[in-house]
Amino acid sequence: MRLQPPPETAGKEVEPKFQFLNHLPKSKVFKYPGGEIQWARFRNDAREYQSAEELEFGKSLNHHHSKMTFGTLLIKSKGLRAPHWHFNANEHGYLLKPAGGVDFIRTFQKQREDQAVNLPANLKELVQNATYVQSPEELVWQYFYDLQGSEEFPFPGGIFQWARYRRNGTGLSQTERIFSESLNKHENTLTLATLRIFSNGLGQPHFHFNANEMGYVISGCGQVGVTLSGVTANFNIGIGDVIFFPVGTQHYIKSVCDEDLLLLLAYSTGNQLETLRMRDYFHGTADHILAQLFFKKQEEFQKFPK
């Protein structure tokens, strides 16, 4: 079935950038007794989209088989997100206010084998009782990772921190190794990262060969450039915006204001992420080939610092 825009936006021309950009704060707020949720996602019923721009983003996620949905979840003070299941997705979460996060994860109890579709036996306790038996360490760290406290990986324009699978576990702590292996043994899991780009810094153009990428702006402001199959888009991003880069898309992110740009990034792979950065591409490709690709003289590429 072909998706049509909501009636009030019919005939409105949509800029190409909305294939890659979603203004999440403008989306519909879904309230529940304990809080509220907003979504950047594909919807089967196009009438559920708030705008033609939101529709364009949802169609892009689906067209590129991203297997990704992004949402923000607000749980009110002493509120509860009731126990639930997702039948067609794994879920990863990032706590913007992480205090107490691991203590909450420790309260999870192992389900019985026959509880894949039934309510858990301890449902009443989960909802009404705030004190639970503490789970063992090896169980906790399959589902929880201290990303904020993890190793920093600097680059000329900023810093990465990763919650990911690594083929070579050398140097990982026991808890990091448990989480890494947990990601890899389940199908369709994600790689998560935080990216801090210093004021006026640049995350250089690059590609991901084995993953789609989604990002959420936590603080700061920036500019994004995307090139994919004849579509080129450059646009500004701010707090609350969601960005999407299909697999193989050349893209860059730049900080354009006085404060650092901080993003949460998710990649659609539970394997080790495969990335080619433009600097490595230029250094690894012969000068005469670069000259032919970019219609330049060979001597110009020989001036690049190695």
Side-chain angles (χ1 to χ4, degrees), residues 70-240:
F70 185 87
T72 54
L73 170 65
L74 171 66
I75 301 178
K76 298 177 182 177
S77 176
K78 300 186 185 301
L80 172 73
R81 178 62 170 158
H84 58 283
W85 290 264
H86 302 293
F87 295 109
N88 65 340
N90 295 291
E91 178 178 353
H92 292 239
Y94 178 77
L95 301 176
L96 286 177
K97 298 180 180 180
V102 69
D103 293 329
F104 172 69
I105 298 295
R106 288 182 191 278
T107 66
F108 290 178
Q109 296 184 16
K110 184 177 181 180
Q111 293 183 357
R112 298 173 183 171
E113 293 298 327
D114 63 352
Q115 289 182 335
V117 295
N118 299 319
L119 293 177
N122 64 331
L123 178 60
K124 185 176 180 180
E125 181 185 18
L126 283 170
V127 175
Q128 298 180 2
N129 191 341
T131 58
Y132 315 121
V133 177
Q134 179 169 299
S135 301
E137 292 284 328
E138 62 271 15
L139 179 60
V140 170
W141 296 104
Q142 290 182 45
Y143 307 107
F144 180 84
Y145 185 83
D146 183 12
L147 180 57
Q148 191 176 52
S150 66
E151 181 181 358
E152 295 184 348
F153 292 86
F155 62 93
I159 296 171
F160 269 109
Q161 287 180 283
W162 294 97
R164 63 181 175 181
Y165 167 71
R166 303 182 197 183
R167 294 191 191 101
N168 184 354
T170 303
L172 296 181
S173 68
Q174 181 182 5
T175 57
E176 290 174 330
R177 187 176 296 107
I178 290 173
F179 187 80
S180 172
E181 293 172 355
S182 178
L183 286 182
N184 188 244
K185 74 179 182 180
H186 297 289
E187 292 185 3
N188 298 321
T189 54
L190 300 176
T191 291
L192 288 185
T194 53
L195 168 62
R196 181 179 297 277
I197 301 178
F198 302 142
S199 176
N200 297 309
L202 172 69
Q204 63 174 285
H206 59 280
F207 309 78
H208 303 296
F209 294 111
N210 65 335
N212 296 288
E213 177 182 354
M214 290 186 79
Y216 174 76
V217 181
I218 297 174
S219 62
C221 57
Q223 183 184 70
V224 169
V226 186
T227 301
L228 174 68
S229 302
V231 178
T232 299
N234 293 278
F235 51 88
N236 294 326
I237 54 174
I239 296 173

Side-chain angles (χ1 to χ4, degrees), residues 34-62:
E36 58 189 43
I37 301 177
Q38 288 179 282
W39 294 104
R41 66 179 182 185
F42 170 74
R43 302 175 185 273
N44 287 319
D45 187 348
R47 294 171 296 182
E48 295 183 8
Y49 290 104
Q50 295 289 98
S51 65
E53 290 81 6
E54 189 179 19
L55 169 65
E56 189 69 16
F57 187 82
K59 287 167 55 180
S60 181
L61 291 180
N62 185 252

Side-chain angles (χ1 to χ4, degrees), residues 242-259:
V242 175
I243 50 180
F244 170 58
F245 305 129
V247 61
T249 302
Q250 177 183 312
H251 58 278
Y252 73 83
I253 305 175
K254 181 180 180 181
S255 174
V256 295
C257 51
D258 292 335
E259 63 177 305

